[in-house]
Amino acid sequence: MSAVVVPTVGRGRIPSASAPPSAWLRERGMGASVLVAALSSALGVLLITATGWISAILNADPSLTGSATMAIVLGIMSGVLLGIAVYVGAIVTANTFATVVAGRTRRIALLRLIGASARSQRREVATQGLLVGLIGAMLGLAGATALAAALIAAGGPLLGVADVPYTLVRGELLIPAAVVAVTTWLSAWAGSRRVLSVTPLQALGGAVEQPHAAFARRTGRNVAAVVVFVAGAALLGLGIVVGLASPFGVLIAFAGGLLSFSGLILGSTLLMPPVLSLIGRALGRSAPARLAAENARRNPERSSRMAMGLVIGVTLITMFAVALDSTKAVLAASAGGELPPEMTAGMDAFTAIVTAVIAVSAVIAAVGLINLLTLGVVQRRRELGLLRALGQSCGQVRWMVLLEATHITVAAVLTGLVLGIGYGWAGAQSLLGSLRLNPDAPAHGTLVAPAMPLPVLGAMVVAAAVLTLVAAVVPTRLATRVAPIAALAE
């Protein structure tokens, strides 16, 4: 009888009896998940602190009118921006845990073979998600509180408001930490649903990704994605129509945009493979290029997970940039062609602040891309070892991984730009469509032309190029370290 070789925890398989209970924290993907939770929590703490401090400054000056209204508006904006960051973090976390579960397929199957239930395995993954969320949320809370204290201490004298009393450590700072922890737990639970479909027979294999045909047969989810998208698109169109008569149309459009975008995320395995296939044709006909394109088409689940997090980040930045630039253009037209310098400066400052905050969500998405690309290389050790055994050099393997990162990044950026321009225009149209640029014109609504913020779009392209190089650093190093004999023996 042949002996059974039990691999190590680092590869996502059965741990040894002497392994500490926290050994799973050293698995690839967990550190990035902690970072995502920490960034989301830190952003929430900073937003709440900034809102509270600005409100305290407004309330301390009796000459300022409408300070209570301004504080309410700031609070609503902070809640929306925090919700966006948590939403992106939840998508990235769910995708990460889904990929981790795919890498643990053999381990889970072996445990099923010796009597463990699928539900107990899923509870284990969800518990790990909760612990990851708690660790990240507490780190983000501590770091952001310290940063906020330093910023207030430095900014108070500069703004001449050093004497304004403000209590930094407050109970509401725990709210974003708690929200992030719970969201991470729920995301891990959602990402681990594949555990329920793992069978003991799969103990004979490794990490298994479902082919595109399997997703085409998932009628229930595909129908739900189409229904959600169509319903959201209908609401978005209704908001644009209502916006021709009232600025409250933006509320309907916002709900429609959120619903339609959720439909796109739910149906990402239907949306992204055609886009990836189109981009893959532009990579060239060399062997590494064809392998990189084929990997994306062959594993649509993994490729879609990698791309969608970045699609969300690019869409958000582009959407806000287009909406704000379009708003500025419409207001300038209504003012006779040029806005007052004070108003222009205020809108530019507001745009810079919103863009900076949304950029944190893009950073979270970028962390998810790097993490998933690394996990993909780790889970394909046998495949990479076979390529090396068949004669591919380290340089060819490195080039293939770099092209995979380029493939995913270009597809995600182009998709995000198209969606962002569309959603940004819809938001501006539904908000400003009722504004009459010419007092003598009949009141039938205004068609808002989408303004293209070329500096933002250019920065997006440059950031995508940098992200591609950064995302490929660790995976290419791991890929070239694969020894063919050792990889094929796993």
Side-chain angles (χ1 to χ4, degrees):
M1 180 182 295
S2 60
V4 177
V5 179
V6 181
T8 60
V9 168
R11 304 271 170 81
R13 297 179 172 88
I14 292 183
S16 63
S18 59
S22 61
W24 58 270
L25 277 172
R26 294 195 295 272
E27 287 189 43
R28 293 194 180 276
M30 294 302 172
S33 298
V34 171
L35 178 59
V36 167
L39 287 173
S40 301
S41 176
L43 178 61
V45 171
L46 290 174
L47 286 172
I48 290 177
T49 302
T51 301
W53 188 45
I54 293 173
S55 299
I57 294 173
L58 294 175
N59 293 328
D61 191 345
S63 63
L64 295 176
T65 59
S67 58
T69 303
M70 180 63 70
I72 293 174
V73 171
L74 289 173
I76 293 174
M77 285 191 57
S78 297
V80 170
L81 295 174
L82 173 60
I84 290 173
V86 171
Y87 181 72
V88 175
I91 297 296
V92 170
T93 302
N95 289 340
T96 297
F97 273 90
T99 305
V100 169
V101 168
R104 292 181 183 177
T105 298
R106 190 177 181 186
R107 170 183 181 254
I108 295 169
L110 285 169
L111 290 172
R112 293 288 312 280
L113 193 62
I114 61 176
S117 67
R119 295 189 180 277
S120 67
Q121 291 299 300
R122 192 180 189 190
R123 281 196 299 270
E124 178 187 346
V125 175
T127 301
Q128 292 172 359
L130 178 60
L131 293 175
V132 164
L134 288 172
I135 294 171
M138 291 300 103
L139 290 175
L141 173 63
T145 302
L147 178 60
L151 292 176
I152 290 176
L158 291 176
L159 299 175
V161 292
D163 56 340
V164 174
Y166 180 70
T167 303
L168 177 61
V169 181
R170 309 167 76 175
E172 55 260 37
L173 296 185
L174 294 174
I175 295 176
V179 169
V180 168
V182 172
T183 304
T184 305
W185 171 54
L186 294 175
S187 300
W189 178 262
S192 64
R193 63 185 179 276
R194 188 177 171 186
V195 172
L196 301 175
S197 63
V198 175
T199 63
L201 186 62
Q202 290 178 272
L204 300 176
V208 180
E209 297 283 354
Q210 299 182 48
H212 186 265
F215 293 99
R217 292 194 299 266
R218 294 196 311 188
T219 308
R221 178 168 178 171
N222 294 340
V223 170
V226 172
V227 169
V228 171
F229 173 75
V230 170
L235 273 179
L236 190 62
L238 178 62
I240 292 173
V241 173
V242 173
L244 295 174
S246 168
F248 289 104
V250 71
L251 300 178
I252 302 175
F254 176 78
L258 189 61
L259 195 61
S260 61
F261 197 71
S262 298
L264 291 175
I265 293 175
L266 187 62
S268 60
T269 52
L270 297 176
L271 169 68
M272 293 312 301
V275 178
L276 291 167
S277 179
L278 183 63
I279 300 299
R281 295 173 186 172
L283 293 179
R285 302 303 301 169
S286 64
R290 283 186 283 120
L291 282 171
E294 183 60 30
N295 281 334
R297 289 193 297 266
R298 181 164 50 89
N299 300 310
E301 182 181 24
R302 183 174 62 212
S303 302
S304 299
R305 289 194 206 115
M306 291 182 191
M308 283 311 294
L310 191 57
V311 167
I312 295 172
V314 174
T315 300
L316 289 173
I317 293 179
T318 306
M319 178 184 69
F320 275 96
V322 169
L324 292 171
D325 270 36
S326 300
T327 300
K328 187 190 299 184
V330 171
L331 293 179
S334 65
E338 188 175 349
L339 288 175
E342 299 81 6
M343 190 173 184
T344 301
M347 291 192 68
D348 288 341
F350 177 76
T351 301
I353 293 172
V354 171
T355 302
V357 173
I358 294 298
V360 176
S361 300
V363 170
I364 293 173
V367 170
L369 172 63
I370 297 171
N371 187 35
L372 292 177
L373 189 62
T374 303
L375 285 172
V377 169
V378 171
Q379 294 173 4
R380 289 158 47 206
R381 283 177 56 86
R382 294 188 68 181
E383 175 188 324
L384 296 173
L386 178 60
L387 291 175
R388 293 290 309 282
L390 291 175
Q392 276 208 339
S393 64
C394 288
Q396 287 177 314
V397 173
R398 186 183 297 112
W399 182 240
M400 181 189 71
V401 175
L402 178 60
L403 286 176
E404 283 189 40
T406 304
H407 192 184
I408 299 295
T409 305
V410 171
V413 169
L414 290 179
T415 304
L417 286 174
V418 172
L419 293 175
I421 292 172
Y423 282 121
W425 171 80
Q429 178 66 53
S430 59
L431 177 65
L432 303 171
S434 60
L435 185 63
R436 296 175 63 185
L437 302 183
N438 185 357
D440 299 328
H444 54 69
T446 300
L447 180 62
V448 178
M452 298 296 178
L454 296 181
V456 174
L457 300 183
M460 201 87 64
V461 174
V462 174
V466 174
L467 175 61
T468 299
L469 296 176
V470 173
V473 170
V474 174
T476 51
R477 289 176 58 191
L478 291 174
T480 54
R481 287 180 181 177
V482 175
I485 296 178
L488 293 174
E490 291 185 359

